[in-house]
């Protein structure tokens, strides 16, 4: 039975300007990086750092996020496929069975986190001339804010959905249940856009709707929790002296953000990966555990830098 408060979710792809469509998912990334740049600008000003270095930081962070997230998905979640389609790892095209523009389908936050840490190591040595933990303690604040909007983007795309539920939190994700092919077959349309629109306007829509189970909006659960992760880090940096303890904010970020991810995974549908081999936990949970442990290490070993 469909929950009485269930929401039917079938948004458009984006804001149609006529000559161009601003996709919501892309827009959320722009907001995430834009807000991150603004937050980091305030931090640089507070630390009396040159804003010229901020431009380099922004470029390195964007590249690391996108490349790391892509490679993370490839190696952590879908290596079986990409090992036989190597060209599709970094190209937004599919050549088999026919040539098709696919975009980059699949980004993993664990991969992005690893790539950002590596990029910050280079940035701290070559650009900032500051200790790595000094940079990480500060960059995690805008990263936490960005995570909020990335998950909202996932929600607009109806991806990374939760498990079926009979609770009032359930949302019926039309595009999750009716894949592009199913939607076209159901409505006898020739394109996914026409098919999804047809489902929403079909006189028999209520009958079609009965086929769509309500699921947890796991993306929104994560996004909501990340607001608190960001707020805690933001408050501690600006209102306390905790930033003087090298590595504390970075460690706290790892513990809080990946603990949220670990818990929310319990209501998420499987994203694939190596969970079938290990059992007990999902791939996302297994990948989160090392981050949490590393975070605890930095929290308990954080020390004030020695004054020279």
């Amino acid at each position: 039975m469909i929950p009485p408060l269930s929401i039917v979710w079938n948004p458009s792809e984006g804001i149609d300007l006529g000559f161009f469509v601003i996709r919501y998912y892309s827009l959320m990334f722009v907001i995430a990086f834009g807000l991150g740049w603004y937050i980091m600008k305030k931090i640089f000003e507070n630390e009396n750092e040159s804003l010229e270095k901020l431009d380099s930081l922004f470029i390195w962070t964007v590249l690391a996020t996108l490349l790391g997230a892509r490679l993370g998905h490839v190696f952590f979640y879908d290596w079986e496929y990409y090992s036989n389609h190597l060209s599709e790892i970094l190209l937004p095209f599919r050549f088999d069975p026919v040539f098709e523009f696919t975009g980059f389908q699949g980004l993993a936050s664990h991969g992005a986190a690893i790539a950002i840490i590596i990029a910050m190591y280079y940035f701290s040595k070559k650009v900032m001339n500051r200790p790595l933990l000094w940079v990480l303690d500060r960059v995690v604040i805008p990263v936490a804010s960005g995570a909020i909007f990335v998950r909202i983007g996932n929600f607009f795309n109806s991806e990374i959905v939760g498990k079926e539920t009979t609770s009032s939190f359930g949302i019926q994700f039309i595009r999750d249940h009716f894949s592009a092919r199913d939607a076209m077959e159901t409505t006898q349309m020739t394109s996914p856009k026409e098919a999804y629109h047809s489902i929403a306007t079909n006189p028999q829509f209520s009958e079609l709707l009965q086929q769509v189970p309500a699921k947890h909006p796991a993306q929104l659960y994560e996004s909501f929790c990340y607001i608190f992760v960001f707020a805690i880090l933001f408050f501690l940096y600006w209102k306390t002296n905790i930033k003087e303890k090298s590595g504390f904010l970075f460690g706290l970020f790892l513990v809080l953000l990946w603990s949220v991810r670990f818990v929310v995974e319990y209501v998420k549908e499987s994203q694939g990966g190596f969970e079938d081999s290990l059992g007990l936990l999902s791939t996302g949970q297994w990948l989160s555990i090392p981050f949490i442990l590393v975070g605890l290490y930095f929290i308990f070993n954080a020390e004030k830098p020695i004054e020279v």
Side-chain angles (χ1 to χ4, degrees):
M1 180 178 296
I2 299 173
L5 298 181
S6 178
I7 297 174
V8 178
W9 186 246
N10 186 35
S12 62
E13 295 181 347
I15 303 172
D16 192 347
L17 301 178
F19 60 92
F20 182 72
V21 176
I22 302 177
R23 298 183 183 277
Y24 293 123
Y25 186 66
S26 300
L27 180 61
M28 291 301 106
F29 263 90
V30 171
I31 293 175
F33 285 123
L35 178 60
W37 181 88
Y38 179 78
I39 293 172
M40 206 62 191
K41 176 176 178 290
K42 293 299 182 182
I43 291 175
F44 268 44
E45 290 175 344
N46 184 58
E47 303 282 355
N48 296 316
E49 285 290 345
S50 170
L51 293 183
E52 292 181 1
K53 297 178 181 179
L54 178 60
D55 294 334
S56 297
L57 174 62
F58 179 77
I59 294 172
W60 278 99
T61 303
V62 171
L63 292 177
T65 300
L66 298 179
L67 182 60
R70 179 59 176 167
L71 294 179
H73 173 78
V74 169
F75 292 113
F76 295 147
Y77 289 95
D78 211 3
W79 177 241
E80 183 178 354
Y81 172 82
Y82 285 103
S83 62
N84 297 312
H85 302 82
L86 296 177
S87 62
E88 295 180 24
I89 294 177
L90 297 178
L91 293 177
F93 306 105
R94 177 178 296 151
F95 299 94
D96 183 33
V98 296
F99 179 81
E100 178 186 4
F101 177 79
T102 59
F104 292 111
Q105 297 179 345
L107 299 172
S109 54
H110 294 91
I114 294 172
I116 289 174
I117 292 173
I118 294 173
M120 292 307 101
Y121 173 80
Y122 174 87
F123 179 78
S124 67
K125 299 295 183 183
K126 301 296 183 179
V127 181
M128 287 295 297
N129 294 318
R130 291 267 200 172
L132 173 60
L133 287 178
W134 185 94
V135 177
L136 290 175
D137 279 336
R138 287 147 182 81
V139 81
V140 292
I141 301 173
V143 168
S145 71
I148 299 169
F149 296 96
V150 170
R151 282 295 177 251
I152 294 176
N154 293 138
F155 179 68
F156 274 107
N157 271 8
S158 299
E159 58 191 4
I160 315 181
V161 299
K163 298 176 181 177
E164 294 184 17
T165 179
T166 57
S167 73
S168 59
F169 291 105
I171 290 179
Q172 292 173 275
F173 293 94
I174 299 298
R175 297 194 182 195
D176 170 68
H177 184 78
F178 290 102
S179 66
R181 179 176 298 177
D182 292 339
M184 286 187 283
E185 290 178 352
T186 301
T187 57
Q188 297 182 345
M189 292 292 173
T190 58
S191 73
K193 184 176 182 180
E194 291 178 344
Y196 292 131
H197 177 72
S198 178
I199 289 175
T201 58
N202 195 309
Q204 286 77 42
F205 178 61
S206 59
E207 296 181 10
L208 292 172
L209 196 59
Q210 295 298 321
Q211 304 175 31
V212 184
K215 297 183 177 181
H216 284 288
Q219 321 95 320
L220 296 185
Y221 296 165
E222 275 193 67
S223 181
F224 180 74
C225 291
Y226 291 159
I227 293 175
F228 292 97
V229 175
F230 166 71
I232 291 171
L233 295 172
F234 188 87
F235 174 83
L236 290 176
Y237 174 82
W238 287 105
K239 300 299 182 180
T240 73
N241 293 323
I242 201 68
K243 59 179 175 291
E244 296 179 6
K245 299 184 67 175
S246 182
F248 186 90
L249 289 177
F250 173 60
L252 185 62
F253 164 82
L254 293 179
V255 171
L256 292 178
L257 188 127
W258 298 112
S259 293
V260 168
R261 176 67 182 271
F262 187 93
V263 172
V264 176
E265 283 285 324
Y266 280 112
V267 298
K268 276 187 186 178
E269 285 188 340
S270 172
Q271 302 298 306
F274 50 78
E275 57 193 47
D276 291 337
S277 301
L278 297 179
L280 296 178
L281 303 174
S282 71
T283 300
Q285 288 174 317
W286 282 116
L287 291 172
S288 297
I289 291 174
F291 285 97
I292 296 172
L293 294 177
V294 170
L296 289 172
Y297 171 82
F298 279 110
I299 288 175
F300 290 112
N301 289 278
E303 296 180 357
K304 288 187 177 181
I306 299 175
E307 299 290 343
V308 179

